[in-house]
Amino acid sequence: SGRRIRIALTPDRAGHGVYVLSTDVSAEVQAREALSHAGKRSLAAQLTSGMAHDFGNLLTIILGLQGRLAARDLPEDAAGDVHATLAAARRGAALLDRLARISGPREVALQPVDLPALLHEVAALARPSLGDGIKLHLDCDLGSQPLLLDPGAVQDSALNLILNANAAIAGPGGRITLSARRSGEWIEIAVADTGHGFSDEALRRATEPFFTTKAGQGSGLGLSMVYDQTKLMDGTMRLDNTARGALVTLRLPRRPVARQMVLLVEDDDTIRADIRAMLTGLGHAVIEAASLSEARAMSDLPGLTLILSDMQLGDGLGLDLAGPLPMLLMTSLPPGDPVRARASGPVLTKPFTTARLAAALSQTKAPACPSPL
């Protein structure tokens, strides 16, 4: 809830004091910071597009030659040099990939996820990489209901945070805690460590691309990628210091998967097939109709829980299917079009992603029943 205020003091010419003008510049500061981030991402994109081909070929040659050397019976010191070169080349390849991922277009891939199982898998993947004596504790206080999440983004983010926490713990021993719990309409995933905590500069700049406190050993892209992935999932990231070390908390919308039986109404066969694949990928059952008349004949089938219909069908308007069942409409008509304006509920604009469809389905509710006369 912090605000940025700019104050201007203008002396009164008669010597009676000063005029004070206070201006809330929070939006201006946020816009400037966003432009700074965008500029750095643009630089990353240019670097990636300009270097990717040649750099990738160079790394391929280095990895191939060093791999052949590693397979030979070399003296111990030479073998160590070869393995160090291999490790450096692999790190370069990983960095190139991360640059491409941070600068390239990304989409959220929501799907039903067993979050406790996913976090157990993350912990199992991370433990072999931890320092001497560092323990990773998992505290997951969630039910068994699947949630709509991007499993790849959640896994990448959690692994990044755990490895950052591992690097922050100086010396042998220490503890990292990966926790997850419900907080109202949110899911909170947190990583806490017993390291030295964030510096004041890190608390201000940790989400900036290329900012690092690892003295040349880090790319400065880890927390920036976590921040970007979290924002793409409509979440937030918070950095804090505790009495024992650092704490990073990700808050993601809680979207429980309520498996539905959907009547999909679309008169274009190709579009209907694409949307059917989205729905089944989200775990829903689908019944299809290619026209308004066909949909009307199916709208009272037992077990149906929702109608997803194009607004304009070959033989009428999807609006005419409104009834006791929840209905979600979709259209290519722009906002403000008279036909679209007749919709009383949510409308998806074509084309849409699986993530947007999943979010819209989770927010679609049954229309209110008319009061009896």
Side-chain angles (χ1 to χ4, degrees), residues 61-372:
I61 294 170
I62 294 172
L63 287 168
L65 291 174
Q66 293 299 305
R68 284 159 55 185
L69 284 174
R72 296 181 181 178
D73 186 14
L74 297 175
E76 184 176 348
D77 56 343
D81 290 343
V82 168
H83 287 293
T85 306
L86 275 171
R90 291 187 182 116
R91 185 163 173 257
L95 177 59
L96 184 64
D97 178 64
R98 294 175 77 180
L99 282 168
R101 289 170 64 187
I102 198 172
S103 59
R106 288 153 292 162
E107 286 187 356
V108 178
L110 294 182
Q111 61 187 72
V113 172
D114 182 344
L115 186 55
L118 178 67
L119 295 181
H120 274 91
E121 181 180 341
V122 168
L125 288 171
R127 284 191 176 103
S129 302
L130 301 182
D132 292 340
I134 297 178
K135 302 295 184 183
L136 174 59
H137 175 66
L138 180 61
D139 178 14
C140 194
D141 184 17
L142 292 170
S144 58
Q145 185 177 22
L147 302 171
L148 281 176
L149 295 167
D150 184 331
V154 172
Q155 185 180 65
D156 287 348
S157 296
L159 281 172
N160 255 308
L161 296 179
I162 291 171
L163 295 178
N164 278 353
N166 176 64
I169 298 176
R175 181 183 178 91
I176 300 171
T177 302
L178 171 62
S179 62
R181 55 183 40 84
R182 177 178 176 179
S183 177
E185 295 305 310
W186 299 86
I187 296 295
E188 290 189 350
I189 301 173
V191 175
D193 64 62
T194 56
H196 49 68
F198 291 107
S199 66
D200 291 341
E201 184 183 20
L203 286 173
R204 293 194 309 271
R205 302 182 57 199
T207 61
E208 294 182 14
F210 308 115
F211 174 78
T212 179
T213 59
K214 296 179 182 177
Q217 297 181 2
S219 65
L221 297 177
L223 280 178
S224 176
M225 289 181 64
V226 173
Y227 174 78
D228 286 347
Q229 289 172 327
T230 303
K231 295 292 285 185
L232 279 173
M233 291 186 286
D234 299 322
T236 62
M237 183 175 80
R238 181 182 177 89
L239 277 61
D240 294 289
N241 284 325
T242 69
R244 301 187 63 188
L247 172 67
V248 181
T249 305
L250 309 181
R251 299 181 80 230
L252 303 174
R254 181 179 178 273
R255 295 174 177 144
V257 176
R259 301 190 186 279
Q260 307 229 41
M261 175 75 78
V262 180
L263 175 58
L264 171 61
V265 190
E266 169 61 62
D267 54 6
D268 186 291
D269 294 344
T270 302
I271 296 176
R272 191 170 66 252
D274 290 342
I275 298 175
R276 178 182 66 237
M278 291 183 185
L279 289 167
T280 55
L282 291 170
H284 303 303
V286 181
I287 296 175
E288 300 177 44
S291 65
L292 177 63
S293 58
E294 189 178 354
R296 279 176 168 158
M298 297 180 174
S299 61
D300 59 352
L301 288 175
L304 278 182
T305 59
L306 182 138
I307 297 174
L308 172 61
S309 175
D310 188 23
M311 187 170 284
Q312 291 179 304
L313 300 166
D315 57 344
L317 296 177
L319 290 164
D320 295 336
L321 291 170
L325 284 177
M327 185 165 70
L328 175 61
L329 292 167
M330 50 189 176
T331 185
S332 299
L333 297 173
D337 184 275
V339 175
R340 179 167 177 158
R342 291 174 55 188
S344 58
V347 179
L348 271 172
T349 301
K350 295 178 179 177
F352 48 81
T353 63
T354 303
R356 288 182 58 205
L357 175 60
L361 288 172
S362 68
Q363 296 166 5
T364 303
K365 301 185 184 299
C369 296
S371 301

